[in-house]
Amino acid sequence: PICRRAAPSAEFSVDRHRHLMSFLTMLGPSPDWNVGLSAEDLCTKDCGWVQKVVQDLIPWDAGTDSGVTYESPNKPTVPQEKIRPLTSLDHPQSPFYDPEGGSIKLVARVVIERIARKGEQCNIVPDNIDDIVADLAPEEKEEDDTPETCIYSNWSPWSACSSSTCEKGKRMRQRMLKAQLDLSVPCPDTQDFQPCMGPGCSDEDGSTCMMSDWITWSPCSVSCGMGTRSRERYVKQFPEDGSMCKVPTEETEKCIVNEECSPSSCLVTEWGEWDECSASCGTGMKRRHRMIKMTPADGSMCKAETTEAEKCMMPECHTIPCLLSPWSEWSDCSVTCGKGMRTRQRMLKSAAELGDCNEELEQAEKCMLPECPIDCELTEWSQWSECNTSCGKGHMIRTRMIKMEPQFGGTACPETVQRTKCRVRKCLRGPGMEKRRWKEAREKRRSEQAKKNIDSEQYPVCRLKPWTAWTECSTLCGGGIQERYMMVKKRSKSTQFTSCKDKKELRACNVHPC
């Protein structure tokens, strides 16, 4: 059995210069196995900080020891190898071995969770001291009557107020129900609402004025150079205690239009209001525009910019963790033999309106079954060879080659050579040929008998020379013919040895297809 201790924990700080997190820890006992993370970026794409990172870890081999089990004796690797992830096919004695080559077992999980924000985003200057103090101030403890059998995530931050004026609206926060340990005990709602009013308004102080939003800035007082502009707002509701409103209803500020008032400068309008931020949370961009009223008097090109853009910061993006079902069992392999794929799924249990869930809901991995049978594979038949005789009856052959031998119980190879009869022109025969052949056969029998009784010096035997070499093949491919001959060395003049004749043999050649 493997002893597992309680999960260790540690706290660390990050900032815009140091936002990559790495760690490595050894598995003990083991040869040189370890788990860890390398350069995990804790910045978000919107230049904020991640709220939570959960990573399942597989074991890695440091390349310094060649042991194959947790308790293998020391066996230094010489020379040392590069660090690499262990696999399920490394060694049959490995605790991670899987003959089907599936995914390696996960051995650890690391959870990185932000516990405080101390005022600095990834790529902007730190917040002012008031914001930092506000972030670090202890939160007011809320009374919580949640039953112990209901397990929730933390509350999300309050949303913006539904009213942007001093009329009453609502704001909302949410939390996730992760588990209900006792179904007989009901769990409270996952949403919480609170009355609110727009910025600058309060329903607690009876002497507060309810003001409208500011009206758009007036045009600048000059068309060239520095001037002033103003904007106004009005009282929507006077204080309930009858006191006078002391909140200003008008404000003025300096404005500059067409800084260069020369014949070569063009006259432009004032900048319009900023567009809405391109992001609903986090960092985005906003733009404003102006128009050219008059081109330069000297006919030159107007170099004034008509569009201006700058970054804008919206409230930090908050994600609500997904509530997921456990993974299903792996599906059957997609093939009946050889290499294939298998999948597993899980379901999203949290409500869709609580936010997008980016967790994967399906996984796939390779699977291996016994090798598929491979049948014998042959080429096409070659052309038929020429007939092996120049006259009378003979035979022709054709062949085919084995391209793939049968494997893993595949179909055996059929015949690779076929033979068929052939007939060429009739062989020429003289008159009385049958009678002559009968006579020659009779003389042959007599000569064989005579050889047993008569000295060989009086009646010499038929002597033949050795076989000649085979002739060149009649074709380069598709099946041809080769010939060789055995010639009579010494021919007797006796009529008893008229059957002593030259011999001839034929064979097929170059049977491979063209």
Side-chain angles (χ1 to χ4, degrees), residues 100 330-333 340-344 363-367:
E100 295 184 356
W330 286 104
S331 67
D332 293 334
C333 200
M341 297 294 293
R342 62 179 186 174
T343 60
R344 64 177 183 176
Q363 286 182 341
E365 69 175 14
K366 294 179 181 178
C367 51

Side-chain angles (χ1 to χ4, degrees), residues 28 55 279 413 416 427 466:
Q55 287 277 13
C413 293
T416 57
C427 297

Side-chain angles (χ1 to χ4, degrees), residues 98-138:
D98 179 0
E100 295 184 356
S103 298
I104 194 167
K105 299 175 183 175
L106 302 172
V107 297
R109 171 176 290 179
V110 60
V111 179
I112 307 168
E113 191 164 14
R114 198 182 78 192
I115 57 176
R117 175 175 172 267
K118 298 185 179 180
E120 190 171 316
Q121 300 283 53
C122 295
N123 64 347
I124 61 173
V125 296
D127 299 339
N128 59 45
I129 190 65
D130 292 334
D131 289 338
I132 296 175
V133 171
D135 278 344
L136 296 179

